[in-house]
Amino acid sequence: MVDRLVLVLLSSLFLAATMAAVTNDKERICIIGSGNWGSAISTVVGRNALRLPFCHNEVRMWVFEEQVLLKGEKETSNLSDAINSLHENVKYLPGVKIPSNVRAIPDLADAVRNATVLIFVLPHQFLPKLLPTIRANVNPARCYGISLIKGLDFDTNTKLPVLISKTIEKEMGNNFRCGVLMGANVADEVANQQTCESTLACEFGSDDINERIRQIFDEEHFRVSRIHDVCGAELSGALKNIIALGAGFVDGLNLGGNTKAALCRIGLIEMRKFCSMFFEGVEQSTFLESCGVADLITTCYGGRNRKCAEAFAKRRVDEMNSTLDAESCSELWNIIESELLNGQKLQGTLAAKEVYNLLKARNLLHEFPLMNVIYEISFDGKSMLDITDGIKTHSESAEVHYLSKL
């Protein structure tokens, strides 16, 4: 009788240990950022976490706390409380239901604690202040990062461009690895489950882990393919925002679809050239993925950078300002961003400045006439009509020669 009780007790302990191991092996997902794109991707990840056996049901989403006035209310509420009670981000993604298993948390340490999958989706200029807290509350050796951030960092000493995913890896330490998710993904369309594609670029050291991460994002209306080229995918996501400014200028001036198509084609050439000039190992096939040409197309026909650039062009034409000084240009961008983006930030203007400064310092502006003129119109007050110079002065034969050597 005693032996039987011991056997039953041991069996129960073994089962409990087994279940604990299974539970501990489940991915704990945290989305760092809750703006328009962060909230949109939370709808996809939230649904997938509920159905995938290797994920905890709860998805945490760090929220930069703000006060919002809800419909019918006289007093403001915390944005995080509004998200958790209404299951909707009323400020950045109104009208779209967020899965109830997505929990908004305003304290960063609480949000990321013991997470095994970190999804970074916020303006990259905020990362330096956040990463120390994130590092202190996760185990970098058992945690993976995926950046949805479309921008570039620059080394303070060499002034050369640095991938944001690499900045995250360096700050996290302990061999932390960070991939990227980039693609033709307008946030509102993703949130409304309109069919689209995206590209996951990662190498987490195991095919099983790579596939796990892919499945966290992949669903019927959000098809995700995986490649190894993190560098090419991430750079494409940053550089296309610059080209989108040019597309917005074309739209604001009513220059037509032919001009816009030419601008997109030349933009892609300059993107490829920039990647190959400053980074090694970029695969040319990456530009045919969703993160490449597809993202460039959708950003040049939709998205916040094109939208604001169109408004910038129209405002200058309407006010009969053929030229503006640098201060007036920056002021106009700030006004448009405030009026049109509801608290969100433009990434194209920041990228245009950073890339221009890099190319100027290395005497390479003549190699990138389109990116050069986009900057000059945006910040030097050059005439809006000069946007076509970035297309006309492009040396097709020189580009073919250069790319043929890659």
Side-chain angles (χ1 to χ4, degrees), residues 3 16 21 47 72 82 96 130 153 163 206-207 216 253 259 273 280 299 301 320 325 338 348 373:
D3 290 342
R47 287 190 295 268
V96 174
L130 303 181
D153 268 344
L163 300 178
S206 162
D207 288 341
I216 286 173
L253 295 170
T259 303
K273 188 173 184 178
E280 295 182 356
T299 305
Y301 282 85
M320 300 301 291
D325 58 33
S338 176
V373 77

Side-chain angles (χ1 to χ4, degrees), residues 303-314:
R304 70 186 73 165
N305 292 284
R306 188 220 62 81
K307 177 181 179 181
C308 289
E310 180 182 14
F312 182 90
K314 287 182 175 179

Side-chain angles (χ1 to χ4, degrees), residues 67-70 73-78:
Q67 294 298 301
V68 293
L69 185 62
L70 302 179
E73 299 291 336
K74 295 182 178 180
E75 296 184 358
T76 60
S77 302
N78 291 330

Side-chain angles (χ1 to χ4, degrees), residues 149-405:
I149 300 170
K150 297 183 176 181
L152 280 174
D153 268 344
F154 285 82
D155 187 283
T156 54
N157 296 318
T158 66
K159 308 302 181 184
L160 288 172
V162 179
L163 300 178
I164 290 173
S165 62
K166 294 301 180 185
T167 299
I168 294 172
E169 289 180 347
K170 181 180 179 181
E171 292 300 317
M172 291 294 290
N174 293 324
N175 297 316
F176 180 85
R177 294 189 181 184
C178 186
V180 300
L181 183 78
M182 302 284 162
N185 308 141
V186 175
D188 290 352
E189 295 178 14
V190 173
N192 288 308
Q193 299 188 60
Q194 296 180 15
T195 299
C196 64
E197 298 177 312
S198 197
T199 307
L200 173 66
C202 66
E203 186 48 75
F204 292 120
S206 162
D207 288 341
D208 290 341
I209 296 173
N210 292 333
E211 179 59 16
R212 270 194 177 201
I213 301 301
R214 191 193 69 81
Q215 289 186 37
I216 286 173
F217 294 101
D218 182 71
E219 64 172 3
E220 181 182 1
H221 300 290
F222 191 72
R223 309 307 297 173
V224 179
S225 60
R226 189 180 76 83
I227 62 175
H228 298 281
D229 185 11
V230 175
C231 183
E234 185 169 349
L235 286 169
S236 295
L239 296 173
K240 54 92 182 182
N241 285 330
I242 301 175
I243 310 305
L245 296 180
F249 296 158
V250 169
D251 288 342
L253 295 170
N254 294 314
L255 295 181
N258 292 341
T259 303
K260 192 170 182 179
L263 180 138
C264 290
R265 190 187 71 85
I266 297 301
L268 183 61
I269 289 174
E270 291 197 3
M271 287 167 55
R272 292 172 62 189
K273 188 173 184 178
F274 183 94
C275 292
S276 299
M277 187 175 287
F278 291 101
F279 292 87
E280 295 182 356
V282 174
E283 299 176 9
Q284 295 304 306
S285 59
T286 298
F287 297 99
L288 299 179
E289 299 285 346
S290 179
C291 62
V293 63
D295 195 8
L296 175 64
I297 291 170
T298 198
T299 305
C300 287
Y301 282 85
R304 70 186 73 165
N305 292 284
R306 188 220 62 81
K307 177 181 179 181
C308 289
E310 180 182 14
F312 182 90
K314 287 182 175 179
R315 195 77 57 92
R316 287 186 59 181
V317 171
D318 289 346
E319 295 176 1
M320 300 301 291
N321 289 325
S322 58
T323 60
L324 290 177
D325 58 33
E327 183 178 353
S328 298
C329 285
S330 295
E331 183 180 351
L332 181 55
W333 281 118
N334 290 335
I335 291 171
I336 290 172
E337 184 181 76
S338 176
E339 290 177 351
L340 299 184
L341 297 189
N342 192 31
Q344 299 176 80
K345 298 296 181 182
L346 275 176
Q347 294 300 310
T349 48
L350 180 59
K353 285 182 180 180
E354 293 170 335
V355 167
Y356 177 86
N357 290 333
L358 169 68
L359 297 176
K360 183 178 180 181
R362 295 184 172 265
N363 195 29
L364 291 170
L365 287 174
H366 64 284
E367 298 272 5
F368 299 88
L370 180 57
M371 291 189 189
N372 182 21
V373 77
I374 288 172
Y375 171 86
E376 290 178 336
I377 291 172
S378 298
F379 296 105
D380 285 347
K382 196 168 187 176
S383 171
M384 296 300 310
L385 294 174
D386 288 338
I387 185 61
T388 56
D389 289 350
I391 301 170
K392 294 175 183 177
T393 61
H394 224 274
S395 173
E396 178 68 17
S397 59
E399 300 311 324
V400 171
H401 176 68
Y402 178 83
L403 293 173
S404 69
K405 297 187 296 183

